[in-house]
Amino acid sequence: MKLFYHPESGRMGDIIPYFEDGVFRLFYLGNGWSNVSTTDQLHFADEFSTSIRGGTGSVVKVDGTYHMFYCKFTDSPYPRQYSCHAVSTDFREWTEIPEDTFQPDDVIYEMSDWRDPHVVWNEEERCWWMLIAAQKKGRTMRKGCVGLCKSDDLRHWRYCEPVYAPSTNQSASECPDLFRWGDWWYLTYSVYTDRFQTLYRMARSPKGPWITPKRDTFDTRCFYAAKHGTDGTDHFMYGWNPDREKNIWDFSPGKDYGKDYQTWDWGGTMIVHQLVQNEDGTLGVKPPKAVDGAFAREQLPELMPLTGEWRTAGDCAEVSSPFGYSALLMNRVPPCGKLEMTVSYEESPREFGIALQVDADFACGYYLIFEPWRGRVQYKTGIRMYEDGGKMFPYEVEQERPFDWEPGREYRVKVFVQDSILLLYVDDQIALGTRMFNRKGFRFGLFASDGDAKFSKIRLFTE
């Protein structure tokens, strides 16, 4: 079984969702534009390639004709990016329309960036909007924006002021998307300078003003270029978790310490998060229903204390560890499976959480660390357990997600594993996706430090 989709050959980048007749038809970048279909975000079929060779974009259908908008790049005589247009009547064979290709105006927008066109119908203005990753002219290098063009016929476009230009990041705001859910409009985009994530903003109108929520991301840097898809009821974000194969930027160390030490690639495996709309309009994420219920086989939890005063019974483990670190071993980590439990505490521990691929040493491995005092979930790998790792990566945090913890409250935690992929959900609000390459075949663990923690309703599901 596979929880997360990866093409049989190559890798998967920049998913472009299109929904029709009960089917999510997902274009993605690999060797040009390819497509695969799903009805439940777990089972995928009908994969095919198109003749289109270009970058990210979008697809709309008007009067029986599909319109694809995408981008192309040239390097000679100087670097340029272009928005392009193709049409199809069967969704498979596409005809490019070269005369519809256009680049920035060099008045509102810099000539450097002009890619990832996303086209939507604006009912209020009765015209088409094209959102585009661009750079707005300005005095500093922080010109990244979501640009805007408008059209009455999908062929002739008028340059307009950006939808969103906060003068924050240096890179173009990649893979922009715009959608409405109830009374709220949401603008999503991805950046790779200052931060490396997919972000969102919210407003009461597609014209803004755009509010930045307290937690304005869906996942870690291992969920990039995410775009939105909906069947009219459920809403999803489709992004990719990167491989660590190619050392594209020549940043990996000369000595082979394993893939955990290598740099992230472009493209990898598709991750789908289902969106949750909170009462205040902010967005959370949870696993799609089919992914959450993919496993029928359940293993009884094995609870084997190593250090500290643990109290274990059935599917529950509690510990009070006010002056040190307490550790417990559990079942072996399967190649593909789900671990879920409820976690809580009364007096704030410094940290508590779940370990993966650990043994009785409880040293090397991968750690999902819940930190109430810092308001976050942190991910730490065995890289940090050695002096060499600390020298190679001289920073405190590898990956983290902001989250507000409260004493006395129970939180539902779900951990999905598929080979090297690790994906955590907490309380249908946050996700933390990453990779773990170097260690396999070891065990889950639980831990707490400088406080108390309770792990209950522990359930492990495997193939």
Side-chain angles (χ1 to χ4, degrees):
M1 176 182 290
K2 294 292 185 182
L3 296 171
F4 314 114
Y5 182 78
H6 190 286
E8 291 186 6
S9 61
R11 64 189 64 194
M12 195 170 204
D14 298 16
I15 297 93
I16 300 117
Y18 178 84
F19 180 80
E20 185 178 52
D21 297 333
V23 179
F24 288 90
R25 306 167 78 175
L26 310 174
F27 286 104
Y28 67 89
L29 303 187
N31 184 19
W33 277 51
S34 296
N35 190 277
V36 68
S37 295
T38 183
T39 58
D40 63 1
Q41 321 307 325
L42 176 64
H43 302 94
F44 297 87
D46 193 25
E47 183 168 0
F48 63 88
S49 297
T50 75
S51 60
I52 299 300
R53 299 292 180 265
T56 311
S58 59
V59 174
V60 297
K61 186 179 183 180
V62 181
D63 297 330
T65 298
Y66 298 98
H67 296 260
M68 176 191 292
F69 297 90
Y70 57 102
C71 53
K72 286 191 174 181
F73 311 90
T74 61
D75 291 322
S76 179
Y78 36 71
R80 286 289 183 267
Q81 299 177 8
Y82 303 86
S83 172
C84 305
H85 184 199
V87 294
S88 174
T89 56
D90 63 4
F91 208 73
R92 293 175 180 265
E93 300 295 328
W94 295 85
T95 301
E96 297 184 82
I97 308 177
E99 58 268 31
D100 289 357
T101 299
F102 70 104
Q103 60 182 328
D105 62 346
D106 202 23
V107 177
I108 301 173
Y109 300 103
E110 298 282 4
M111 297 299 291
S112 57
D113 295 280
W114 197 252
R115 59 185 182 274
D116 309 342
H118 183 81
V119 173
V120 296
W121 175 252
N122 186 306
E123 184 65 33
E124 180 182 339
E125 296 189 354
R126 304 296 299 171
C127 70
W128 294 97
W129 276 24
M130 176 186 287
L131 280 62
I132 197 158
Q135 298 259 7
K136 180 177 172 25
K137 286 183 175 291
R139 297 181 64 182
T140 75
M141 286 298 294
R142 297 184 179 275
K143 304 175 185 179
C145 72
V146 177
L148 177 64
C149 295
K150 299 179 183 181
S151 173
D152 299 315
D153 60 4
L154 292 175
R155 300 196 62 184
H156 304 89
W157 295 91
R158 304 180 293 276
Y159 299 97
C160 303
E161 288 293 320
V163 170
Y164 186 60
S167 301
T168 302
N169 53 286
Q170 301 172 54
S171 61
S173 300
E174 294 194 306
C175 302
D177 204 329
L178 178 69
F179 64 95
R180 185 176 185 176
W181 189 354
D183 295 330
W184 287 98
W185 287 85
Y186 298 94
L187 175 68
T188 68
Y189 61 96
S190 296
V191 294
Y192 56 87
T193 58
D194 299 277
R195 305 169 72 178
F196 205 122
Q197 288 174 286
T198 297
L199 293 77
Y200 83 94
R201 301 291 182 259
M202 48 193 290
R204 294 295 190 179
S205 163
K207 300 177 183 179
W210 295 102
I211 300 167
T212 301
K214 180 180 179 180
R215 185 170 57 239
D216 64 345
T217 54
F218 305 101
D219 200 335
T220 65
R221 66 94 56 232
C222 289
F223 184 71
Y224 194 72
K227 290 176 72 72
H228 167 263
T230 182
D231 58 7
T233 301
D234 294 326
H235 294 256
F236 303 93
M237 291 297 292
Y238 298 81
W240 46 263
N241 182 309
D243 294 328
R244 282 180 144 168
E245 302 271 352
K246 302 296 184 181
N247 189 22
I248 298 171
W249 313 112
D250 293 326
F251 288 158
S252 295
K255 183 178 177 181
D256 185 6
Y257 294 92
K259 288 184 182 179
D260 284 339
Y261 285 80
Q262 294 178 3
T263 53
W264 299 107
D265 295 340
W266 178 93
T269 299
M270 178 169 62
I271 302 294
V272 185
H273 295 314
Q274 183 167 347
L275 294 179
V276 176
Q277 188 180 52
N278 299 314
E279 290 185 2
D280 61 358
T282 58
L283 298 176
V285 293
K286 65 180 182 181
K289 182 178 180 180
V291 174
D292 199 18
F295 301 101
R297 180 184 178 188
E298 182 176 354
Q299 291 184 12
L300 295 175
E302 303 172 17
L303 305 173
M304 300 170 283
L306 294 174
T307 59
E309 299 297 324
W310 290 88
R311 299 174 298 281
T312 63
D315 62 357
C316 182
E318 297 182 64
V319 67
S320 179
S321 186
F323 305 113
Y325 192 94
S326 295
L328 173 150
L329 276 183
M330 289 179 54
N331 309 57
R332 291 195 180 275
V333 179
C336 189
K338 177 180 75 165
L339 175 68
E340 66 178 40
M341 65 185 70
T342 296
V343 301
S344 61
Y345 63 90
E346 295 299 330
E347 298 182 9
S348 295
R350 183 173 182 85
E351 63 181 42
F352 69 110
I354 302 168
L356 298 95
Q357 305 295 2
V358 290
D359 56 18
D361 290 341
F362 220 84
C364 294
Y366 308 93
Y367 295 85
L368 296 168
I369 306 171
F370 308 148
E371 297 179 303
W373 68 292
R374 279 184 164 171
R376 71 182 182 189
V377 178
Q378 181 193 168
Y379 173 70
K380 183 181 290 187
T381 71
I383 289 174
R384 308 305 304 279
M385 308 306 169
Y386 294 102
E387 181 183 4
D388 287 348
K391 290 177 179 177
M392 292 170 62
F393 302 92
Y395 41 74
E396 183 181 6
V397 177
E398 293 175 53
Q399 297 197 60
E400 65 179 351
R401 297 290 291 131
F403 190 77
D404 294 327
W405 299 95
E406 297 177 10
R409 179 179 167 184
E410 292 188 336
Y411 298 89
R412 196 64 183 165
V413 172
K414 298 177 180 180
V415 178
F416 295 85
V417 174
Q418 177 184 295
D419 301 322
S420 65
I421 295 175
L422 169 61
L423 181 55
L424 165 75
Y425 291 96
V426 181
D427 238 26
D428 290 348
Q429 285 298 304
I430 66 165
L432 188 157
T434 187
R435 293 273 189 164
M436 42 184 191
F437 287 102
N438 286 10
R439 290 176 64 86
K440 299 181 185 299
F442 294 93
R443 293 182 177 273
F444 288 107
L446 304 175
F447 60 90
S449 180
D450 301 314
D452 70 278
K454 181 179 180 180
F455 307 86
S456 59
K457 300 177 185 176
I458 301 171
R459 304 176 74 189
L460 176 61
F461 298 89
T462 61
E463 295 184 77

